[in-house]
RNA sequence: GGGAGAUUAGCUCAGUUGGUAGAGCAAUUCGUUUACACCGAAAAGGUCAGAGGUUCAAGUCCUCUAUCUCCCACCA
């Protein structure tokens, strides 16, 4: 009856079993909900946040995969029609940056390459990297349905994303605006607000004598683009000047500037008088709209001063600033210079200071869409775990600005639009033909810009389920969106908005946000610090099971986790404990199988079963309420400290004794507890539990992955 | 300038609805008991940041303070 002992070699070696078990699952087809037994009716759906296809998985992905697989496996065993859709993200700007670095190393530059050539090269690179990423996901034991895998550049996805743009355009929710955008002078593209990072900088605040005023500025080099001086309308010092035109001097000549009164000017700051440069400052730009001011561009796309600046033309901003200040000092126009600490937006990828530029770009009108999302959340249609993220979400939705969705890079989904070469107006590609004439007399040409990555990934829950036609939309709205807490702004709001806008339903009912996975001292992992721990190294060393349970236990939602290798090692010991306890039970209960009816039990046996029931109820409740760290901990302690240390030890004399009745009862109790534990541990440590399940004595046994969840006895 | 989180054993962290503190790792002592030394047994270790308050009862709820971390922010 027992074919197992040879297999139960000691100690447990994950490397020998994981690949084999994963293959077994894949071949069973049970990752695909369509193949599950008929009793699995009610859907449970998670759409995987698509990892970037440009590299391998990092530790944060490990936690994502672990948590989502725990949820999926649990719900599958609970009899749900469980679907977990995997994916891969082309990650537009991110990938382009990765590839540019590669080109730089090889002495190339994307700016010297043909569009198509560059796109094809990045595509080849991405598709190759994608394979490694997928292998990492599989190595972690992810029970996702690979037959439904989507890539954000699949043709069907691309056309649907473009269709969404057309719909927004027709609904007057997307427009081509001529506004200041966040321009990265290194990467030569605009960036959305969430793609910039503000860093504290110590600069100087220059007080410049400016006609009858003294103005305070950190950017004297933009003086050539000044069109006005702004003061607060209630400021008694300057009131009389409002509406007048004053003459001011700068190193290259004189300017006539109108004095405007604007409530936004803080009389307390600096001198209370402010120079207005609409082409190079977000705030000044807005005032220029209110007061109908002209805009004079003096800095070009490379961050150099242009020919409107006389002798400064061609200088970079930093250099020009020094020169202009020197020359102003010579002219005795600098009143004083103060040290000034302030926050400056930079490109989140290269730290280059963002140069605000006025450019024609596509924008999504956020206010009406954000309202859809915040209303849905206020109505309780989406639950946040932990719940304080609801407040953060709502604050952001109530204070949103229009979203710049056009990027001047080739790697991404092209915007289906035509723009006029002379007046820069934009129209839909399908409505107007390339080369036709604009009302202004100019010619329409294809817009070469691509979408912000978050424009496509924002539609991910729908796209992953084959929107708009697929039958898989019966899985929408999905149950859980599990992702890193850093995506609360970048990604979550866009998905809620697009879900509601396109389908009229929220994309998910629960948002579960995990914290960042840091190094063992709680410090952020980074390549430069050399403290990066990759999941594939840890799975190789300790096994995927140990990594999974080690990542989840002791980690509460929303809070960061310190990933100590010793901890993972500790859980490898736990796996070994399970292995050995199972070995003992299996070799000492050969007279009993899982099909043996419940024998007469001793009072102590009944007590043990009552205790087991309590554990089942408690652990199941933890699973149901997303308290996976508690489920894991309780399983750990029940198995080790109660089952192995007490119950098994207590049973030894009975198993070795002559009382056959007592022996049979003991065998039955041990096997029963073992099976319940193997099942309840399965979502955390799927490989070792499936391997052990395979060795359990039972008639007509199927895979553990579809075994029903244990119920109290 | 706003907001969130954290402050519990040497280290990293749990502690779900309030009921006299827990885990992993580390450290101590003992034990080669035929599942497991990737083990077992035993012991040690914390005025739960501080101060008030509510309560029969507070690590857990309320207020304030201190320190740290992170996020958001177009006062030049």
């Amino acid at each position: 009856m027992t074919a197992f002992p040879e297999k139960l070699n000691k100690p447990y070696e994950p490397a020998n079993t994981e690949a084999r078990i994963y293959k077994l699952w894949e071949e069973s087809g049970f990752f695909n909900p369509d193949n599950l037994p008929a009793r699995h009716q009610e859907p449970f759906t998670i759409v995987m946040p698509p990892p970037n296809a440009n590299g391998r998985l990092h530790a944060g992905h490990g936690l994502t995969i672990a948590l989502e697989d725990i949820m999926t496996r649990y719900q599958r065993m609970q009899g749900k029609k469980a679907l977990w859709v995997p994916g891969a993200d082309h990650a537009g700007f991110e990938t382009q940056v990765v590839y540019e670095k590669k080109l730089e190393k090889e002495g190339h530059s994307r700016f010297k390459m043909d569009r198509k050539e560059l796109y094809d090269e990045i595509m080849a690179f991405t598709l190759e990297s994608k394979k490694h990423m997928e292998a990492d996901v599989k190595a972690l034991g992810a029970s996702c349905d690979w037959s439904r895998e989507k890539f954000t550049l699949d043709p069907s996805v691309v056309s649907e994303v473009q269709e969404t743009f057309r719909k927004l355009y027709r609904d007057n929710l997307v427009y081509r605006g001529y506004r200041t955008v966040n321009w990265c002078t290194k990467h030569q593209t605009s960036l959305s607000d969430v793609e910039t990072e503000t860093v504290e900088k110590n600069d100087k605040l220059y007080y410049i004598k400016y006609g009858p005023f003294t103005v305070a500025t950190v950017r004297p080099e933009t003086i050539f683009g000044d069109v006005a001086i702004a003061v607060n309308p209630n400021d008694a010092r300057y009131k009389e000047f409002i509406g007048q035109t004053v003459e001011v001097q700068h190193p290259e000549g004189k300017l006539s500037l109108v004095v405007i009164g604007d409530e936004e000017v803080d009389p307390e700051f600096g001198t209370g008088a402010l120079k207005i440069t609409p082409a190079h400052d977000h705030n000044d730009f807005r005032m220029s709209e209110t007061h109908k001011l002209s805009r004079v561009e003096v800095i070009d796309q490379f961050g150099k001063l242009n020919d409107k600046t006389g002798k400064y033309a061609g200088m970079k901003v930093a250099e020009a600033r020094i020169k202009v200040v020197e020359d102003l000092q010579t002219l005795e126009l600098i009143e004083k210079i103060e040290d000034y600490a302030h926050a400056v937006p930079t490109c989140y990828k290269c730290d280059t200071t963002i140069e605000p530029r006025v450019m024609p770009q596509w924008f999504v009108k956020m206010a009406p869409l954000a309202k859809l999302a915040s209303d849905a959340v206020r109505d309780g249609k989406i639950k946040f775990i932990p719940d304080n993220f609801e407040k953060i979400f709502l604050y952001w939705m109530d204070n949103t600005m229009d979203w710049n969705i056009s990027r001047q890079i080739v790697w991404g989904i092209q915007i289906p639009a035509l723009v006029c070469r002379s007046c820069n107006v934009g129209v839909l590609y399908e409505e107007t033909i390339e080369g036709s004439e604009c009302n202004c007399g100019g010619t329409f040409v294809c817009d070469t810009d691509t979408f912000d990555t978050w424009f496509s990934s924002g539609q991910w829950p729908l796209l992953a389920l084959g929107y708009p036609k697929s039958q898989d939309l019966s899985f929408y709205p999905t149950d859980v969106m599990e992702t890193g807490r850093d995506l609360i702004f970048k990604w979550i709001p866009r998905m809620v908005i697009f879900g509601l806008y396109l389908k009229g339903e929220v994309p998910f009912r629960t948002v579960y946000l995990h914290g960042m996975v840091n190094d063992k001292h709680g410090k952020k992992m980074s390549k430069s610090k050399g403290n990066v721990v990759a999941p594939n190294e840890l799975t190789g060393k300790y096994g995927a099971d140990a990594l999974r349970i080690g990542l989840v236990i002791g980690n509460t939602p929303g809070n960061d986790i310190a990933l100590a290798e010793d901890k993972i090692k500790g859980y490898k010991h736990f796996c070994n404990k399970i292995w050995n306890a199972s070995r003992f039970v299996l070799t000492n209960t050969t007279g009993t199988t899982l099909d043996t009816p419940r024998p007469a039990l001793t009072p102590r046996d009944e007590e043990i079963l009552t205790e087991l029931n309590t554990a089942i109820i408690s652990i199941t409740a933890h699973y149901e309420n997303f308290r996976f760290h508690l489920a894991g901990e309780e399983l750990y302690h029940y198995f080790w400290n109660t089952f192995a240390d007490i119950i098994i030890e207590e049973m030894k004399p009975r198993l070795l004794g002559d009382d056959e009745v007592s022996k049979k009862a003991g065998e039955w109790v041990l096997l029963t507890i073992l099976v319940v534990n193997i099942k309840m541990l399965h979502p955390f440590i799927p490989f070792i539990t499936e391997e052990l399940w395979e060795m359990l004595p039972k008639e007509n046994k199927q895979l553990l992955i579809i075994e029903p969840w244990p119920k109290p006895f």
Side-chain angles (χ1 to χ4, degrees), chain A residues 436-476:
Chain A
S436 59
E437 195 176 303
C438 174
N439 289 338
C440 79
T443 311
F444 278 115
V445 293
C446 268
D447 189 348
T448 53
D449 286 358
T450 50
F451 286 115
D452 178 0
T453 292
W454 302 103
F455 186 81
S456 48
S457 55
Q459 301 169 56
W460 185 240
L462 283 166
L463 296 169
L465 293 172
Y467 178 82
K469 291 188 284 278
S470 168
Q471 287 196 336
D472 282 350
L473 286 169
S474 61
F475 289 98
Y476 188 94

Side-chain angles (χ1 to χ4, degrees), chain A residues 82 108 119 148 197 248 283 298 300 317 388 404 428 442 460 497 527 530 543 552 558 584 606 614 674 703 705:
Chain A
H108 290 99
Y119 185 93
R148 284 176 161 90
E197 216 162 75
V248 303
N283 216 7
V298 293
D300 70 10
V317 163
N388 60 293
N404 173 207
L428 286 189
W460 185 240
I497 283 173
K527 279 179 195 160
V552 175
F584 176 83
E606 298 286 358
T614 308
L674 179 65
L703 289 176
I705 183 176

Side-chain angles (χ1 to χ4, degrees), chain A residues 267-287:
Chain A
E268 304 293 318
F269 189 90
T271 61
L274 169 62
K275 73 186 202 63
I276 300 298
T277 323
H280 299 292
D281 184 280
H282 293 294
N283 216 7
D284 293 4
F285 177 82
R286 205 168 51 209
M287 282 197 213

Side-chain angles (χ1 to χ4, degrees), chain A residues 98-243:
Chain A
V98 168
Y99 199 74
E100 269 175 40
K101 275 190 190 149
K102 186 171 174 282
L103 286 173
E104 258 173 47
K105 266 187 201 161
E106 295 162 358
H108 290 99
S109 165
R110 72 149 153 134
F111 301 112
K112 292 183 185 136
M113 291 172 75
D114 170 68
R115 263 188 89 82
K116 186 171 180 319
E117 179 194 5
L118 178 61
Y119 185 93
D120 289 348
E121 272 192 23
I122 302 180
M123 180 61 98
F125 165 78
T126 302
L127 291 179
E128 191 54 36
S129 306
K130 181 168 167 276
K131 288 183 202 160
H132 298 131
M133 181 276 282
E134 287 159 354
D136 286 348
V137 172
K138 291 182 182 184
L140 284 162
S143 66
C144 50
D145 182 3
W146 293 103
S147 74
R148 284 176 161 90
E149 188 189 17
K150 287 272 196 310
F151 176 43
T152 53
L153 288 183
D154 286 343
S156 61
V157 170
V158 169
S159 64
E160 209 41 52
V161 167
Q162 292 177 330
E163 190 50 40
T164 299
F165 175 81
R166 294 194 184 96
K167 181 172 158 63
L168 285 163
Y169 183 93
R170 291 188 200 106
D171 288 346
N172 206 18
L173 286 168
V174 73
Y175 64 94
R176 188 161 175 86
Y178 198 71
R179 297 183 15 190
T180 45
V181 294
N182 302 308
W183 182 261
C184 174
T185 53
K186 174 179 163 63
H187 289 116
Q188 292 293 298
T189 180
S190 65
L191 298 168
S192 70
D193 298 311
V194 292
E195 288 166 315
T196 66
E197 216 162 75
T198 45
V199 296
E200 284 289 329
K201 255 185 95 179
N202 292 311
D203 276 322
K204 302 286 181 192
L205 188 62
Y206 304 93
Y207 287 74
I208 301 172
K209 289 179 193 160
Y210 220 36
F213 300 92
T214 297
V215 295
T217 181
V218 288
R219 301 204 63 182
E221 74 281 6
T222 62
I223 199 164
F224 313 103
D226 288 356
V227 298
I229 292 171
V231 298
N232 190 290
N234 302 315
D235 193 331
R237 293 172 293 177
Y238 307 124
K239 227 171 176 169
E240 53 179 311
F241 290 101
I242 295 172

